[in-house]
Protein backbone atom coordinates (compact mmCIF):
# COMPACT_ATOMS: atom_id res chain seq x y z
CA UNK A 1 0.00 0.00 0.00
CA UNK A 2 3.04 2.24 -0.41
CA UNK A 3 1.44 3.85 -3.43
CA UNK A 4 -1.22 5.34 -1.14
CA UNK A 5 1.49 7.52 0.36
CA UNK A 6 2.71 8.82 -2.96
CA UNK A 7 2.82 12.64 -2.78
CA UNK A 8 1.25 13.04 -6.22
CA UNK A 9 -1.77 10.94 -5.24
CA UNK A 10 -2.13 12.82 -1.97
CA UNK A 11 -1.92 16.12 -3.80
CA UNK A 12 -4.43 14.97 -6.44
CA UNK A 13 -7.00 13.75 -3.90
CA UNK A 14 -6.66 16.93 -1.79
CA UNK A 15 -7.12 19.24 -4.75
CA UNK A 16 -9.91 17.14 -6.24
CA UNK A 17 -11.82 17.10 -2.95
CA UNK A 18 -11.26 20.84 -2.50
CA UNK A 19 -12.45 21.55 -6.03
CA UNK A 20 -15.66 19.60 -5.41
CA UNK A 21 -16.37 21.68 -2.30
CA UNK A 22 -15.59 24.98 -4.04
CA UNK A 23 -17.81 24.05 -6.99
CA UNK A 24 -20.59 22.93 -4.63
CA UNK A 25 -20.61 26.30 -2.87
CA UNK A 26 -20.79 28.72 -5.80
CA UNK A 27 -24.45 28.49 -6.86
CA UNK A 28 -25.61 28.38 -3.23
CA UNK A 29 -23.64 31.53 -2.40
CA UNK A 30 -25.04 33.27 -5.47
CA UNK A 31 -28.64 32.33 -4.57
CA UNK A 32 -28.87 32.06 -0.76
CA UNK A 33 -32.66 32.25 -0.53
CA UNK A 34 -33.10 29.44 -3.07
CA UNK A 35 -30.69 27.24 -1.09
CA UNK A 36 -32.48 28.00 2.18
CA UNK A 37 -35.73 26.72 0.59
CA UNK A 38 -33.95 23.43 -0.09
CA UNK A 39 -32.68 23.35 3.52
CA UNK A 40 -36.31 23.69 4.68
CA UNK A 41 -37.25 20.51 2.79
CA UNK A 42 -34.85 18.40 4.85
CA UNK A 43 -36.77 19.47 8.01
CA UNK A 44 -33.68 19.09 10.18
CA UNK A 45 -33.11 22.67 11.36
CA UNK A 46 -36.70 23.76 11.01
CA UNK A 47 -38.64 25.70 10.22
CA UNK A 48 -40.97 24.51 12.96
CA UNK A 49 -43.33 26.27 15.31
CA UNK A 50 -40.77 25.90 18.10
CA UNK A 51 -37.63 26.81 16.18
CA UNK A 52 -39.08 29.34 13.78
CA UNK A 53 -37.19 30.06 10.56
CA UNK A 54 -33.94 31.58 11.86
CA UNK A 55 -31.87 28.37 12.47
CA UNK A 56 -32.62 27.02 8.98
CA UNK A 57 -31.97 30.43 7.41
CA UNK A 58 -28.61 30.83 9.19
CA UNK A 59 -27.61 27.28 8.26
CA UNK A 60 -28.50 27.89 4.63
CA UNK A 61 -26.57 31.15 4.52
CA UNK A 62 -23.44 29.93 6.35
CA UNK A 63 -23.06 26.33 5.10
CA UNK A 64 -22.02 27.25 1.52
CA UNK A 65 -19.30 29.50 2.92
CA UNK A 66 -18.00 26.68 5.12
CA UNK A 67 -17.85 24.58 1.94
CA UNK A 68 -16.04 27.34 0.06
CA UNK A 69 -13.46 28.04 2.77
CA UNK A 70 -12.88 24.30 3.28
CA UNK A 71 -12.46 23.79 -0.45
CA UNK A 72 -10.04 26.69 -0.83
CA UNK A 73 -7.93 25.42 2.09
CA UNK A 74 -7.80 21.93 0.57
CA UNK A 75 -6.74 23.28 -2.80
CA UNK A 76 -4.11 25.67 -1.44
CA UNK A 77 -2.78 23.25 1.17
CA UNK A 78 -3.16 25.69 4.05
CA UNK A 79 -4.49 23.83 7.14
CA UNK A 80 -5.11 20.93 4.76
CA UNK A 81 -5.70 18.24 7.39
CA UNK A 82 -8.01 20.43 9.45
CA UNK A 83 -9.95 21.32 6.31
CA UNK A 84 -10.18 17.65 5.34
CA UNK A 85 -11.46 16.80 8.81
CA UNK A 86 -14.08 19.52 8.45
CA UNK A 87 -15.01 18.21 5.00
CA UNK A 88 -15.39 14.75 6.55
CA UNK A 89 -17.60 16.19 9.28
CA UNK A 90 -19.79 17.91 6.70
CA UNK A 91 -20.07 14.73 4.64
CA UNK A 92 -21.11 12.73 7.71
CA UNK A 93 -23.76 15.40 8.38
CA UNK A 94 -24.94 15.25 4.76
CA UNK A 95 -25.15 11.45 4.97
CA UNK A 96 -27.18 11.71 8.17
CA UNK A 97 -29.51 14.25 6.52
CA UNK A 98 -30.09 12.09 3.44
CA UNK A 99 -30.55 9.02 5.64
CA UNK A 100 -33.09 10.92 7.71
CA UNK A 101 -35.22 11.98 4.72
CA UNK A 102 -35.09 8.46 3.29
CA UNK A 103 -36.09 7.00 6.66
CA UNK A 104 -38.90 9.53 7.10
CA UNK A 105 -40.09 9.12 3.49
CA UNK A 106 -39.61 12.85 2.84
CA UNK A 107 -39.36 13.54 -0.88
CA UNK A 108 -36.42 15.89 -1.45
CA UNK A 109 -36.44 16.00 -5.24
CA UNK A 110 -33.52 18.45 -5.42
CA UNK A 111 -30.73 17.69 -2.98
CA UNK A 112 -29.10 21.14 -3.30
CA UNK A 113 -25.71 19.46 -3.60
CA UNK A 114 -24.19 21.53 -6.40
CA UNK A 115 -26.93 23.78 -7.73
CA UNK A 116 -30.11 25.27 -6.33
CA UNK A 117 -32.19 25.57 -9.51
CA UNK A 118 -33.30 23.44 -12.41
CA UNK A 119 -33.22 19.68 -12.31
CA UNK A 120 -31.13 18.53 -9.37
CA UNK A 121 -30.28 15.11 -8.00
CA UNK A 122 -32.76 13.70 -5.53
CA UNK A 123 -31.71 12.84 -2.00
CA UNK A 124 -31.40 9.09 -2.45
CA UNK A 125 -29.07 6.11 -2.55
CA UNK A 126 -26.85 7.38 -5.39
CA UNK A 127 -26.22 10.51 -3.38
CA UNK A 128 -25.28 8.40 -0.37
CA UNK A 129 -22.82 6.46 -2.54
CA UNK A 130 -21.15 9.62 -3.87
CA UNK A 131 -20.99 11.16 -0.37
CA UNK A 132 -19.34 7.97 0.92
CA UNK A 133 -16.73 8.21 -1.84
CA UNK A 134 -16.01 11.83 -0.91
CA UNK A 135 -15.87 10.85 2.77
CA UNK A 136 -13.26 8.22 1.92
CA UNK A 137 -11.23 10.91 0.15
CA UNK A 138 -11.51 13.24 3.16
CA UNK A 139 -10.41 10.49 5.56
CA UNK A 140 -7.49 9.70 3.26
CA UNK A 141 -6.29 13.31 3.39
CA UNK A 142 -6.65 13.37 7.18
CA UNK A 143 -5.04 10.02 7.94
CA UNK A 144 -2.37 9.41 5.32
CA UNK A 145 1.04 11.08 5.55
CA UNK A 146 2.62 11.31 2.12
CA UNK A 147 6.21 10.20 1.71
CA UNK A 148 8.59 13.06 1.37
CA UNK A 149 9.58 13.48 -2.23
CA UNK A 150 13.15 12.39 -2.84
CA UNK A 151 15.51 15.30 -3.34
CA UNK A 152 15.94 15.95 -7.00
CA UNK A 153 19.26 17.17 -8.29
CA UNK A 154 19.31 19.79 -11.00
CA UNK A 155 21.09 17.36 -13.31
CA UNK A 156 18.39 14.68 -12.98
CA UNK A 157 16.14 14.33 -16.02
CA UNK A 158 12.52 15.40 -15.54
CA UNK A 159 10.05 12.52 -15.12
CA UNK A 160 7.95 11.68 -18.13
CA UNK A 161 4.84 13.80 -18.43
CA UNK A 162 6.33 16.98 -16.96
CA UNK B 1 -11.21 24.00 12.89
CA UNK B 2 -13.20 26.44 15.02
CA UNK B 3 -11.39 29.29 13.28
CA UNK B 4 -12.49 27.95 9.87
CA UNK B 5 -16.10 27.68 11.03
CA UNK B 6 -16.07 31.13 12.63
CA UNK B 7 -14.48 32.70 9.55
CA UNK B 8 -17.00 31.04 7.25
CA UNK B 9 -19.88 32.18 9.47
CA UNK B 10 -18.65 35.78 9.38
CA UNK B 11 -18.27 35.61 5.59
CA UNK B 12 -21.69 34.04 5.12
CA UNK B 13 -23.58 36.45 7.34
CA UNK B 14 -21.60 39.39 5.95
CA UNK B 15 -22.34 38.35 2.38
CA UNK B 16 -26.02 37.92 3.18
CA UNK B 17 -26.19 41.36 4.75
CA UNK B 18 -24.07 43.34 2.34
CA UNK B 19 -24.06 41.71 -1.09
CA UNK B 20 -27.57 42.62 -2.13
CA UNK B 21 -28.28 38.93 -2.82
CA UNK B 22 -29.25 38.12 0.76
CA UNK B 23 -32.57 38.17 2.55
CA UNK B 24 -33.86 38.87 6.06
CA UNK B 25 -32.93 35.93 8.28
CA UNK B 26 -36.12 36.34 10.28
CA UNK B 27 -38.22 35.97 7.13
CA UNK B 28 -39.64 32.76 5.68
CA UNK B 29 -37.51 32.01 2.60
CA UNK B 30 -40.58 30.91 0.66
CA UNK B 31 -41.74 34.53 0.66
CA UNK B 32 -41.03 36.29 -2.63
CA UNK B 33 -41.61 39.78 -3.92
CA UNK B 34 -45.32 40.24 -4.57
CA UNK B 35 -46.44 37.62 -2.02
CA UNK B 36 -48.87 38.89 0.60
CA UNK B 37 -49.23 37.10 3.95
CA UNK B 38 -51.70 37.67 6.76
CA UNK B 39 -51.67 36.25 10.28
CA UNK B 40 -54.33 33.95 11.70
CA UNK B 41 -56.39 36.72 13.44
CA UNK B 42 -56.62 38.75 10.20
CA UNK B 43 -57.51 35.57 8.27
CA UNK B 44 -60.25 34.78 10.79
CA UNK B 45 -61.72 38.26 10.31
CA UNK B 46 -61.68 37.76 6.55
CA UNK B 47 -63.37 34.36 6.92
CA UNK B 48 -66.13 35.96 8.96
CA UNK B 49 -66.52 38.59 6.24
CA UNK B 50 -66.97 35.95 3.56
CA UNK B 51 -63.48 35.43 2.17
CA UNK B 52 -62.93 32.25 0.14
CA UNK B 53 -60.31 29.96 1.69
CA UNK B 54 -58.31 27.52 -0.44
CA UNK B 55 -56.54 24.47 0.96
CA UNK B 56 -53.28 23.91 -0.95
CA UNK B 57 -52.32 20.71 0.91
CA UNK B 58 -52.64 17.27 -0.72
CA UNK B 59 -56.31 16.28 -0.95
CA UNK B 60 -56.00 13.60 1.77
CA UNK B 61 -55.24 16.28 4.35
CA UNK B 62 -58.23 18.36 3.22
CA UNK B 63 -60.50 15.35 3.55
CA UNK B 64 -59.34 14.81 7.13
CA UNK B 65 -59.97 18.39 8.24
CA UNK B 66 -59.87 21.91 6.88
CA UNK B 67 -60.94 25.47 7.58
CA UNK B 68 -64.75 25.70 7.35
CA UNK B 69 -65.90 26.69 3.87
CA UNK B 70 -62.47 26.15 2.32
CA UNK B 71 -62.23 24.54 -1.11
CA UNK B 72 -59.49 22.07 -2.00
CA UNK B 73 -56.91 23.42 -4.45
CA UNK B 74 -53.95 21.07 -3.90
CA UNK B 75 -50.71 22.36 -5.36
CA UNK B 76 -49.76 18.85 -6.51
CA UNK B 77 -52.95 18.63 -8.62
CA UNK B 78 -53.41 22.31 -9.37
CA UNK B 79 -54.55 22.31 -13.00
CA UNK B 80 -57.37 19.80 -12.54
CA UNK B 81 -58.59 21.31 -9.27
CA UNK B 82 -58.39 24.82 -10.68
CA UNK B 83 -60.54 23.91 -13.69
CA UNK B 84 -63.17 22.48 -11.33
CA UNK B 85 -63.53 25.63 -9.21
CA UNK B 86 -62.45 28.38 -11.63
CA UNK B 87 -65.87 30.11 -11.87
CA UNK B 88 -66.04 30.35 -8.08
CA UNK B 89 -62.50 31.73 -7.92
CA UNK B 90 -63.20 34.38 -10.57
CA UNK B 91 -66.24 35.59 -8.66
CA UNK B 92 -64.38 35.92 -5.34
CA UNK B 93 -62.63 39.13 -4.43
CA UNK B 94 -60.99 38.00 -1.20
CA UNK B 95 -59.09 34.71 -1.39
CA UNK B 96 -56.86 33.27 1.33
CA UNK B 97 -54.63 30.24 0.63
CA UNK B 98 -53.15 28.02 3.32
CA UNK B 99 -51.07 24.84 3.58
CA UNK B 100 -49.32 22.82 6.28
CA UNK B 101 -47.45 25.73 7.80
CA UNK B 102 -43.74 25.98 8.54
CA UNK B 103 -41.67 24.39 5.82
CA UNK B 104 -44.63 24.23 3.42
CA UNK B 105 -44.37 26.18 0.15
CA UNK B 106 -47.63 25.00 -1.45
CA UNK B 107 -49.73 28.02 -0.39
CA UNK B 108 -47.21 30.47 -1.85
CA UNK B 109 -46.98 28.48 -5.08
CA UNK B 110 -50.77 28.29 -5.42
CA UNK B 111 -51.17 32.02 -4.69
CA UNK B 112 -48.61 32.80 -7.42
CA UNK B 113 -50.31 30.47 -9.92
CA UNK B 114 -53.62 32.19 -9.21
CA UNK B 115 -52.00 35.59 -9.63
CA UNK B 116 -50.60 34.46 -13.01
CA UNK B 117 -54.20 33.70 -14.02
CA UNK B 118 -55.41 37.12 -12.94
CA UNK B 119 -56.81 36.05 -9.57
CA UNK B 120 -55.28 37.85 -6.58
CA UNK B 121 -54.84 35.73 -3.46
CA UNK B 122 -53.09 36.15 -0.14
CA UNK B 123 -51.40 33.53 2.04
CA UNK B 124 -52.17 32.56 5.62
CA UNK B 125 -48.78 32.91 7.33
CA UNK B 126 -47.70 29.66 9.01
CA UNK B 127 -50.82 28.04 7.57
CA UNK B 128 -52.85 25.28 9.19
CA UNK B 129 -50.92 25.10 12.52
CA UNK B 130 -51.30 28.85 13.04
CA UNK B 131 -55.07 28.47 12.55
CA UNK B 132 -55.47 25.46 14.83
CA UNK B 133 -53.07 26.81 17.50
CA UNK B 134 -55.27 29.92 17.69
CA UNK B 135 -58.23 27.66 18.48
CA UNK B 136 -60.21 28.72 15.42
CA UNK B 137 -62.88 26.38 14.03
CA UNK B 138 -62.12 23.48 11.74
CA UNK B 139 -64.33 21.12 9.81
CA UNK B 140 -63.72 17.39 9.44
CA UNK B 141 -64.60 15.36 6.34
CA UNK B 142 -64.46 15.91 2.60
CA UNK B 143 -67.18 18.56 2.29
CA UNK B 144 -66.42 22.32 2.52
Amino acid sequence: MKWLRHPALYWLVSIGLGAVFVYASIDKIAHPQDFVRIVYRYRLAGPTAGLGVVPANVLGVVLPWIELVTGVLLVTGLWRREAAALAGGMLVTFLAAVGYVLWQGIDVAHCGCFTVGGEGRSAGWTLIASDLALLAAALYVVRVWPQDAAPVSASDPLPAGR
Amino acid sequence: MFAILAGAAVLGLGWNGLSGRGFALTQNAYLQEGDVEVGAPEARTRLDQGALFLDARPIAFYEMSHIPGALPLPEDDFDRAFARIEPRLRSSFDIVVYCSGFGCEASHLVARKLKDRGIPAIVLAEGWPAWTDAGYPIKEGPRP
Side-chain angles (χ1 to χ4, degrees):
Chain A
M1 302 292 270
K2 198 178 170 185
W3 59 273
L4 275 176
R5 298 180 61 204
H6 195 288
L9 179 66
Y10 188 80
W11 176 84
L12 198 67
V13 172
S14 297
I15 290 187
L17 183 65
V20 168
F21 272 84
V22 170
Y23 176 65
S25 70
I26 292 170
D27 201 32
K28 299 172 200 167
I29 287 172
H31 306 99
Q33 192 168 351
D34 292 338
F35 180 58
V36 166
R37 285 191 201 108
I38 293 174
V39 171
Y40 284 4
R41 294 190 186 116
Y42 283 89
R43 301 184 199 172
L44 282 167
T48 63
L51 288 174
V53 294
V54 174
N57 288 350
V58 171
L59 178 65
V61 164
V62 170
L63 180 60
W65 284 90
I66 300 175
E67 291 179 328
L68 178 66
V69 172
T70 302
V72 168
L73 292 176
L74 281 165
V75 169
T76 59
L78 184 68
W79 291 346
R80 182 169 275 160
R81 278 175 210 287
E82 291 79 1
L86 192 53
M90 276 191 277
L91 287 161
V92 169
T93 309
F94 298 159
L95 283 163
V98 176
Y100 174 76
V101 297
L102 286 175
W103 174 51
Q104 291 285 311
I106 300 169
D107 181 21
V108 178
H110 194 309
C111 68
C113 306
F114 293 102
T115 60
V116 295
E119 292 285 318
R121 297 163 70 191
S122 65
W125 294 106
T126 55
L127 180 57
I128 285 181
S130 58
D131 279 354
L132 283 172
L134 290 171
L135 179 59
L139 291 175
Y140 168 80
V141 177
V142 173
R143 299 279 301 181
V144 172
W145 291 87
Q147 286 173 323
D148 291 336
V152 179
S153 104
S155 60
D156 285 348
L158 285 172
R162 281 209 184 166
Chain B
M1 198 180 296
F2 178 75
I4 300 173
L5 288 171
V10 169
L11 286 170
L13 295 173
W15 171 263
N16 187 65
L18 304 172
S19 68
R21 289 176 174 272
F23 67 105
L25 293 176
T26 53
Q27 167 200 309
N28 188 320
Y30 289 143
L31 208 57
Q32 288 183 4
E33 198 177 333
D35 291 345
V36 181
E37 284 189 334
V38 293
E42 164 76 16
R44 172 69 194 269
T45 304
R46 286 174 183 249
L47 181 70
D48 293 341
Q49 292 170 348
L52 174 63
F53 275 56
L54 300 174
D55 191 323
R57 300 175 299 168
I59 191 70
F61 289 89
Y62 176 87
E63 288 176 353
M64 277 191 282
S65 52
H66 50 265
I67 293 175
L71 298 177
L73 185 55
E75 193 271 327
D76 58 5
D77 190 25
F78 180 87
D79 290 337
R80 213 157 43 161
F82 177 80
R84 209 162 38 231
I85 62 172
E86 184 175 359
R88 178 81 189 274
L89 296 173
R90 296 211 178 273
S91 64
S92 301
F93 298 99
D94 191 6
I95 296 176
V96 181
V97 191
Y98 68 93
C99 65
S100 303
F102 282 110
C104 170
E105 193 177 17
S107 53
H108 295 88
L109 295 175
V110 164
R112 280 175 221 141
K113 286 177 182 177
L114 290 173
K115 192 178 172 188
D116 290 344
R117 289 161 174 78
I119 302 169
I122 60 174
V123 171
L124 169 57
E126 298 163 29
W128 177 253
W131 185 267
T132 54
D133 288 351
Y136 297 152
I138 61 168
K139 186 172 190 308
E140 294 181 349
R143 294 186 181 280

